[in-house]
Amino acid sequence: MRAEAVSLVEQIKQSVGLLRRHLDVESSTRRLAELNAKSEDPNFWNDAEIAQKLMRERTDLEDRLGSLEKFERELEDAITLVELGEMEGDEDAAQEGVALLKGVKAEAERRQVEALLSGEADGNDTFIEIHSGAGGTESCDWARILLRMYSRWAERHKFKVELIEETPGDEAGIKSATLLIKGHNAHGWAKTESGVHRLVRISPFDSNARRHTSFASAWVYPVIDDKIDIQVNESDCRIDTYRAQGAGGQHINTTDSAVRITHIPSGIVVACQMERSQHKNRATAWNMLRARLYEQELERREAEANKVNATKSEIGWGHQIRSYVLQPYQMVKDLRTGYVSGTPDEVLDGDLDGFMEASLAQRVHGGGPDKVEDVD
C-alpha cells in the first residue's frame, strides 16, 4: 500500500486507540445497556428531570460508541479500496480510498479533541455575552454579526439557541446581547471563544468607502446545574427594572419587565428581558449571575494553575484573540493558535469548529506557534 495511505492508517489507528481508552468501551457498553433497561421501565418518566439527564447520557454514549464503530468500519472500507485500486491498476479508486482515509482521520481527530472536554462544566449549556467595543456604529454592527455567527454555529451543532437579552445600537447593530445555547458539551466547545474579536472591512456606513477596524467582545460562561451550589448575598446586589428594548411586541416594550442585577463586590452585571414576566426575568438573571460567579471561580483556579493572569481586558487594540479581515484581502486568523481560514464568509456563517479545536488542543497539550503575528 502506498506510503501516504500507510501513514494515514497509522494515524487513524492511533486516534481510535486513544478514543477507545478514553471511553473505556467495556464499561461504557455496560452502562449503555443499563440505561436502555431503565428507559423501558414504565415509571421512568415519573421524574422528568432525572429522566432527561439519563436520556442525554444514553444519547452521548450511543453517539460515542457508534462513532468508534463507524471509524473502524470506514477504515477497513478505505484500506480495501486503496488495495484493490493498486492491485487492479485503478488509480481513481486508489485515490478515492486515500480521500476517504483523510476524511476519517479528520473526524477521528475532532472526536479526540472532544473526548478531552473533561472540565467541571464542559458538558453544560452555555451563555455567550457579546458587547460592542471601540468604533461606535461600526462596532455595534460588528457585534450584531458576531451574534449571528454564534447562533449559526450553534444551529450547525443542532444546539437550541435562546436570546436572553439584546440592547440595540443607537443607529445600527447592537450594543450588547446574551445567548443561551443548550446542548451537550456546548460550554466545552465554546469556552475558548472568550475575548476580543477584531474586524477589518470597507465600512457600509462610510460614504467614502474607507476601510475601518472594529472591535467586539465575546464572554462565555457555563450554565450551572443544581449540583453546583453558588451562594449570593442579595445585600451585595443592586436590582434594577426597566423597559425592554428591541423587538418583542406591545407588552414587552410598555412595561418594566426587564431585570438587571449588579453584583457590587465583583462588578458583574447581568440582564434578562426575554420573558413578559418580571418575575421570570428576575429568576433567569439570578441564575445568570450565579453562573458568572461560578465561571469567575473556574477562571481563578485556571489562572493559579497556569500562573497566568486571566482577567477580562479592555475591548480594543492589543487585546484581540482573533482578526477577521475582509479588505484588502480575506482571512480570519486566531492570534493564540495561529489557525487561519481563507473563507471569512463561511466563518461568519458559523464555521468555527477548526478554531475551537485548535484552541482546545492548545489548552490540553500546551504550546502553540512559536510566534503569532497580527494581521493588518
Side-chain angles (χ1 to χ4, degrees):
M1 194 162 56
R2 61 192 62 192
E4 182 184 14
V6 170
S7 175
L8 287 167
V9 169
E10 288 304 314
Q11 291 175 64
I12 293 168
K13 286 182 176 179
Q14 184 179 29
S15 291
V16 170
L18 288 170
L19 285 170
R20 291 184 71 87
R21 288 197 294 275
H22 189 275
L23 181 58
D24 189 350
V25 173
E26 185 177 339
S27 63
S28 293
T29 302
R30 191 164 51 246
R31 175 60 175 164
L32 181 58
E34 291 173 4
L35 292 171
N36 286 333
K38 285 184 179 181
S39 68
E40 294 171 2
D41 187 325
N43 299 317
F44 180 70
W45 286 99
N46 287 354
D47 188 326
E49 186 176 349
I50 291 177
Q52 287 173 355
K53 288 182 180 179
L54 292 176
M55 290 299 287
R56 282 196 295 268
E57 182 185 356
R58 187 181 80 162
T59 299
D60 179 51
L61 285 174
E62 284 179 337
D63 179 54
R64 293 164 72 183
L65 288 167
S67 292
L68 277 176
E69 293 176 3
K70 179 172 174 282
F71 291 147
E72 291 169 343
R73 184 172 63 251
E74 289 182 346
L75 177 59
E76 291 304 315
D77 290 346
I79 291 172
T80 300
L81 193 55
V82 172
E83 290 177 341
L84 282 174
E86 291 179 346
M87 286 173 57
E88 298 174 1
D90 186 344
E91 183 61 23
D92 287 344
Q95 286 299 327
E96 185 181 343
V98 170
L100 181 56
L101 285 171
K102 289 179 179 177
V104 175
K105 174 178 175 288
E107 180 61 20
E109 288 177 344
R110 180 183 180 280
R111 288 283 182 167
Q112 192 176 326
V113 172
E114 189 175 52
L116 297 170
L117 297 180
S118 56
E120 286 183 58
D122 282 353
N124 292 22
D125 302 336
T126 194
F127 292 108
I128 300 182
E129 275 187 29
I130 296 166
H131 296 271
S132 61
T137 300
E138 291 286 342
S139 64
C140 286
D141 189 56
W142 173 220
R144 175 191 59 79
I145 294 171
L146 282 182
L147 177 66
R148 180 186 181 277
M149 180 182 78
Y150 287 118
S151 297
R152 291 287 295 124
W153 168 77
E155 289 164 4
R156 283 172 177 239
H157 284 262
K158 295 182 170 53
F159 293 152
K160 184 178 179 182
V161 183
E162 295 179 8
L163 182 64
I164 301 295
E165 179 273 335
E166 181 179 7
T167 302
D170 294 332
E171 297 179 23
I174 58 171
K175 291 180 179 177
S176 66
T178 303
L179 290 173
L180 169 58
I181 298 176
K182 296 181 177 180
H184 181 62
N185 281 338
H187 179 68
W189 277 110
K191 65 184 180 182
T192 60
E193 290 297 295
S194 287
V196 177
H197 299 249
R198 171 189 175 210
L199 174 69
V200 180
R201 64 172 176 174
I202 300 296
S203 170
F205 305 101
D206 188 335
S207 59
N208 295 315
R210 290 173 294 191
R211 190 162 57 132
H212 284 247
T213 297
S214 308
F215 298 94
S217 69
W219 192 247
V220 183
Y221 51 99
V223 174
I224 57 174
D225 53 35
D226 295 337
K227 294 180 293 185
I228 301 170
D229 184 25
I230 300 294
Q231 298 295 328
V232 184
N233 293 324
E234 209 166 322
S235 60
D236 289 337
C237 300
R238 184 176 72 247
I239 302 173
D240 301 306
T241 58
Y242 60 98
R243 190 166 297 174
Q245 303 180 59
Q250 184 176 1
H251 177 86
I252 194 171
N253 292 310
T254 56
T255 62
D256 291 339
S257 59
V259 176
R260 181 189 299 112
I261 301 177
T262 303
H263 186 247
I264 297 169
S266 66
I268 290 172
V269 180
V270 296
C272 180
Q273 63 180 44
M274 71 173 181
E275 300 286 353
R276 292 186 175 189
S277 161
Q278 184 188 116
H279 176 74
K280 290 181 179 178
N281 284 333
R282 184 184 293 258
T284 299
W286 277 115
N287 288 337
M288 291 171 66
L289 177 59
R290 282 192 287 270
R292 283 288 302 272
L293 290 169
Y294 174 66
E295 189 272 344
Q296 187 179 69
E297 172 61 17
L298 290 181
E299 186 182 69
R300 185 190 65 78
R301 293 182 205 169
E302 183 177 351
E304 288 180 356
N306 295 312
K307 305 297 183 184
V308 296
N309 181 9
T311 57
K312 290 180 70 173
S313 58
E314 176 190 351
I315 307 175
W317 285 100
H319 303 289
Q320 59 267 22
I321 63 168
R322 190 175 302 148
S323 286
Y324 306 70
V325 181
L326 307 185
Q327 292 287 342
Y329 52 88
Q330 296 210 330
M331 183 174 74
V332 182
K333 182 173 183 177
D334 195 288
L335 307 178
R336 302 160 300 176
T337 65
Y339 186 89
V340 173
S341 169
T343 54
D345 287 347
E346 293 181 11
V347 174
L348 295 175
D349 196 43
D351 185 10
L352 295 170
D353 285 0
F355 292 96
M356 292 179 176
E357 289 167 21
S359 293
L360 287 168
Q362 186 184 66
R363 278 194 173 199
V364 172
H365 302 300
D370 293 332
K371 181 180 181 183
V372 176
E373 297 180 353
D374 199 355
V375 288
D376 293 328

